[in-house]
Amino acid sequence: MSDIPAPAHQPFRLSMLLYDRRYRSMTIQVVVFILVMAAGWWLVDNTIRNLQALGKDFNFGFLFQRSGYDIGSPPIPYNSDDTHLRAAVVGLLNTVIISILGCIAATFLGTAVGIARLSNNWLFARLMTIYVEMFRNIPLLLWILIVYALLTEILPAPAAYRGEDPEWSKILFGNVALTNRYTAIPSIGLTNDPGMLDLGFRIMINWATIAFAVVLIGGWLVRRVVLNRAQAAQDRTGERPTTWWINLAIMTVPSLLLIWYFGLHLIQPELTGFNFSGGLNLQNGFVALWLALTLYTGAFIAEIVRAGILSVSKGQTEAAFALGLQPNRTMNLVILPQALRVIIPPLTSQYLNLTKNSSLAIAVAYMDLRGTLGGTTLNQTGRELEAILLMMLIYLALSLLISAGMNAFNARVKLKER
């Protein structure tokens, strides 16, 4: 088939939709669009027919029915008399919490290991290589089960901490107790408690939390103003004024004043009866999932960080040293700004993978979105199509939010070409 050049005043003919390259691409797009829509219509029609054959309809009314099951340590008030919708929200919050904590911990671990892999210490670098190869080449589900088994089989029961000469002692200066059921950590207490703000739907937030959030956000905005003024002074005079102590004071002094005013202190977990009380008891399912996600994703991030640093030419480092820059300023001002262009795009993929991999929480009975909406709710109501569709939409929304945030960060830190 060959193209037929169209004369300037040639009248339109139907054959031109196929043989004229000016219309051919449009014809192909229209045909593909019609085929895709036809396939979608066939799937929807077939689904409706099958549901009718099973005596089912398609609605989300089950979300407002009584759930009838409990969720351990919910982040918002919840009991078995609440609706399936509230249970799904609890699961979603658990997914968000484990994803945020996993991304933070995996980023720190992966960055440290990635830099360590470039160490001149042969043994240290090889140990990091063993860690990376071991964790990224074994399925995540196995790591979750291994960590959970270690926590439940090796650690003692809470009773081992009883008595004047207990079998086990709390770690981290006597603040954390590891047991085969949970990890007891200190909670935060207030001597001068300002009370709670009712947000509706039985969700309460302490006024002290709001005060800290306002102070931190305000401090961050003031810090940006100070940095912009310092940059303007540098552009005008060639010398940058010292601002680190101003920024440090802006970010810490107001928070310290709030800590003093509210009487912020830690409440130590104490063994009373058969369990610890006073602090927070993190269930082993949550701890195992968090550790496994961190160790598994950290191995991938380490390779991303190492590749990003190696992508920067050694000549850049040598030139910075020749100008008298110290190694830490060379890393912050020369290497990292260029390496981030390589690091951030694949790092975004790892954050997305970690969020989606958190759905493996059901293996250790951690009630995330998969365990609530896609587990107990689905089994109780028999609304598998609606529940799965909702989960897909929620995970899609979470992934798009993460991508949007990382793309904005990437646009902010990328090198500006003149």
Side-chain angles (χ1 to χ4, degrees), residues 369-370 373-374 386-396:
L369 185 66
R370 170 68 180 85
L373 180 62
E386 293 90 338
I388 295 298
L389 281 176
L390 273 179
M391 280 201 304
M392 292 172 62
L393 291 175
I394 292 172
Y395 277 114
L396 177 63

Side-chain angles (χ1 to χ4, degrees), residues 115-252:
I115 295 174
R117 285 205 64 191
L118 300 173
S119 170
N120 293 325
N121 187 314
W122 184 88
L123 179 60
F124 191 48
R126 293 304 177 276
L127 287 176
M128 294 300 102
T129 302
I130 291 173
Y131 156 72
V132 170
E133 297 300 334
M134 186 172 65
F135 274 90
R136 73 175 181 175
N137 290 310
I138 294 178
L140 173 60
L141 178 59
L142 295 182
W143 284 118
I144 295 174
L145 295 176
I146 289 172
V147 174
Y148 187 72
L150 290 175
L151 291 176
T152 55
E153 297 296 332
I154 294 179
L155 296 179
Y161 292 87
R162 191 190 308 279
E164 296 180 356
D165 186 20
E167 299 177 24
W168 283 67
S169 300
K170 290 189 284 188
I171 61 174
L172 297 178
F173 307 103
N175 291 314
V176 177
L178 304 175
T179 75
N180 59 359
R181 296 207 296 266
Y182 51 79
T183 298
I185 64 173
S187 60
I188 297 176
L190 297 173
T191 304
N192 183 21
D193 194 338
M196 309 292 284
L197 172 64
D198 190 355
L199 299 177
F201 303 101
R202 292 175 20 232
I203 299 175
M204 312 283 283
I205 184 170
N206 196 293
W207 279 105
T209 304
I210 299 174
F212 277 103
V214 170
V215 163
L216 290 176
I217 294 174
W220 181 76
L221 294 174
V222 174
R223 175 179 169 274
R224 285 184 58 87
V225 173
V226 172
L227 291 177
N228 289 336
R229 294 185 63 179
Q231 184 64 44
Q234 182 179 6
D235 295 340
R236 187 173 60 255
T237 64
E239 293 185 1
R240 188 178 184 85
T242 303
T243 59
W244 66 267
W245 62 272
I246 300 176
N247 293 328
L248 182 63
I250 291 172
M251 297 303 295
T252 58

Side-chain angles (χ1 to χ4, degrees), residues 313-336:
S313 170
K314 288 186 178 179
Q316 302 276 339
T317 305
E318 294 170 354
F321 288 163
L323 292 173
L325 290 179
Q326 297 297 320
N328 59 338
R329 291 183 64 81
T330 301
M331 177 63 75
N332 293 332
L333 300 177
V334 178
I335 298 177
L336 274 183

Side-chain angles (χ1 to χ4, degrees), residues 48-89:
I48 293 174
R49 290 176 182 273
N50 287 333
L51 287 175
Q52 289 176 344
L54 294 172
K56 291 184 175 181
D57 56 355
F58 184 79
N59 70 71
F60 295 93
F62 69 96
L63 291 173
F64 304 99
Q65 298 173 0
R66 179 177 178 272
S67 62
Y69 63 91
D70 292 319
I71 299 175
S73 304
I76 59 174
Y78 170 82
N79 57 55
S80 58
D81 290 328
D82 284 317
T83 62
H84 286 291
L85 177 61
R86 194 172 184 90
V89 172

Side-chain angles (χ1 to χ4, degrees), residues 348-349 351-353 355-356 391-409:
T348 304
S349 298
Y351 288 167
L352 296 175
N353 288 337
T355 302
K356 290 178 288 187
M391 280 201 304
M392 292 172 62
L393 291 175
I394 292 172
Y395 277 114
L396 177 63
L398 287 177
S399 298
L400 292 177
L401 283 176
I402 294 172
S403 297
M406 291 301 293
N407 288 337
F409 179 66

